Every structure is written in structure tokens, then in C-alpha cells.
Amino acid sequence: MNVLLLGGTDEARRLAAALYGRPDLRVVSSLAGRVRDPKLPVGEVHEGGFGGAEGLAAWIRDHGVDVVVDATHPFAARMSASAVQATRAAGVPLLVLRRPGWRERDGDDWHWVPSLEAAAQALPALGSRAFLTTGRRSLPVFAALDGVWFLARSVDPPEPPVPANVEIVLSRGPFTVEGEIALMREHDVDVLVTKDSGGQMTTAKLDAARELRIPVVIVRRPPAHEGTPHVDTVEAAAHWIDALRSAGSR
């Protein structure tokens, strides 16, 4: 069975590792190429895009792909939509692997918003020194907020436009609660802005905000595509692939 694993996430790397070396499977992991020095999974890797849904469908056909697993970031809405369209066009099954979203705990002061634009609108009423952890591509959305100072963290340097009052921190998780508290205190942060990415690699900032009693503006995830099977663990994804392979070999 030929498996195309759309990834770049920790879950995608762990699934590739779980399937690696099996004689009954050939797994190719696809990375979008948006990070300069990505963490590579084991096994075969395809780097770069496919050229939209039509290009992905053609790649699936040309490479004899039997099943596609979408283990991209929860906010990679365009790639996920392309995966749905491409697999339907190519006539192959699709599984979505998504880590669970975050849940509020006692002491949290979370302000849910539907988009980055809504986060920018809500921000000035909640603080004036914001810790922005929504990714380097989101900075143009906040560029017009002159009355807010930003501490923005990303893996790679952002491209303009960026807010006039911004300090960029280049770093990659996982992070510690102690480190996040120290960073927020050092820069007098009074509001955190993030997306509901889920997972454990970046939860420390939420714990730190709770400890410091700092409000959090959190962007909701894009809605899931109806009719596509979803799992939220690597183990469940591997089991789904096994069940599909077993059914096909009968």
C-alpha cells in the first residue's frame, strides 16, 4: 500500500516513524516547504507544493497512491481543502489526523475569536503589550495597530509588512512554563495572542498566562470537512491504515 502523508507536524513525524520499515507499506511524507530548516521525518520525503488540488490529484495518480493522510497543521485550511478535492478526484480514501484543541482551565481568561482579523480588533481593549504567537505570516494583520507593542515569535523571520512596534524572537518549541513566564515578565507582556493549535509543544505559554493572570486572545480552528474520517491520535491513524490495508487484501 502506498501512503501519502501530508505533514510537517509532530503527529505527522510520529506517524511516519510508526509506519517506517514495514514491508507492506510505502510511505511518502510531504512538507509544504514554508520553513527554511524543517524537522524531517524518517523515510521518503517530498518537499514543496503540488500546485493546488488538481496538481495533488495528478501526483496521487502518477505515483500510485492508495491512501492519503492529512496530518497538516490545524490551521492549514487551504491544504486540507485541496486534499479533500484531490482525493475525491483521484478516487482514493482520505484520513484527517488532527491533535485535539486546547481546553480552558480554572484561572484562564480566554477570549475566543473566529479569525486573525477579529483578534486584531479585540486586542486593544485587552492590553497594550502583546505576545503574538500566531506565526510569521500573520503579522501583516496586526501591522495597523499603532497603539500596541508586539513581541512576536516565529521559527523563521517574518516578511513585511509588520507592526511598527515589534520585537521578533526566532525560536522553535517545545517551550517550558518557566521560560515563558520569564519571557513575558522581561517584556512586560499584558496579553497573549495565539491560535488553537493544540498539542503539547506550545502549551507552556497558556500555563504561563494563567500563572501571570494575563488574558489570552485565541483564534478558533477552521471547521472540519464533513464526510471525511477524523482521528486525533497517531495510534488511531495507524490502526485505520492497517484496517484499510487488511480490507483491501481480502
Side-chain angles (χ1 to χ4, degrees):
M1 175 181 280
N2 292 325
V3 180
L4 175 61
L5 177 54
L6 306 176
T9 59
D10 178 62
E11 290 78 18
R13 290 189 293 272
R14 290 194 287 117
L15 180 58
L19 303 177
Y20 180 70
R22 287 181 45 172
D24 58 335
L25 297 176
R26 179 196 176 195
V27 180
V28 178
S29 297
S30 172
L31 306 181
R34 292 183 176 180
V35 178
R36 293 181 181 178
D37 186 22
K39 293 182 179 180
L40 296 177
V42 297
E44 294 185 56
V45 176
H46 168 83
E47 290 195 66
F50 296 96
E54 292 184 2
L56 177 55
W59 200 96
I60 290 171
R61 297 189 192 98
D62 293 344
H63 291 80
V65 172
D66 299 300
V67 59
V68 177
V69 179
D70 174 10
T72 57
H73 192 275
F75 282 82
R78 182 177 299 178
M79 186 67 245
S80 291
S82 291
V84 171
Q85 296 175 36
T87 51
R88 288 176 179 172
V92 301
L94 170 67
L95 175 71
V96 176
L97 169 58
R98 285 286 183 277
R99 69 187 77 141
W102 290 318
R103 294 186 177 183
E104 295 178 65
R105 295 168 51 185
D106 290 342
D108 284 329
D109 181 14
W110 288 7
H111 301 258
W112 290 91
V113 293
S115 65
L116 287 168
E117 290 76 14
Q121 292 177 1
L123 187 54
L126 295 170
S128 60
R129 296 184 65 84
F131 185 17
L132 192 60
T133 64
T134 51
R136 64 188 177 94
R137 294 177 182 271
S138 71
L139 264 65
V141 177
F142 300 88
L145 294 180
D146 295 331
V148 179
W149 180 89
F150 290 96
L151 174 67
R153 183 167 63 198
S154 62
V155 176
D156 292 325
E159 298 178 357
V162 300
N165 299 316
V166 63
E167 180 172 336
I168 306 296
V169 175
L170 300 181
S171 185
R172 190 200 303 263
F175 304 101
T176 66
V177 177
E178 294 77 12
E180 298 288 63
I181 289 176
L183 183 66
M184 293 184 194
R185 282 177 171 165
E186 177 185 355
H187 295 280
D188 295 324
V189 168
D190 59 9
V191 60
L192 169 66
V193 185
T194 191
K195 298 187 291 188
D196 183 19
S197 300
Q200 297 298 314
M201 291 190 67
T202 58
T203 55
K205 61 190 174 187
L206 300 173
D207 296 331
R210 184 185 313 111
E211 180 72 19
L212 297 173
R213 300 183 182 277
I214 291 174
V216 179
V217 180
I218 183 165
V219 181
R220 295 186 186 277
R221 295 181 174 192
H225 292 277
E226 296 183 2
T228 302
H230 284 65
V231 295
D232 59 11
T233 67
V234 170
E235 294 75 17
H239 178 75
W240 186 87
I241 291 172
D242 281 338
L244 197 65
R245 186 194 61 77
S246 297
S249 63
R250 293 173 185 171

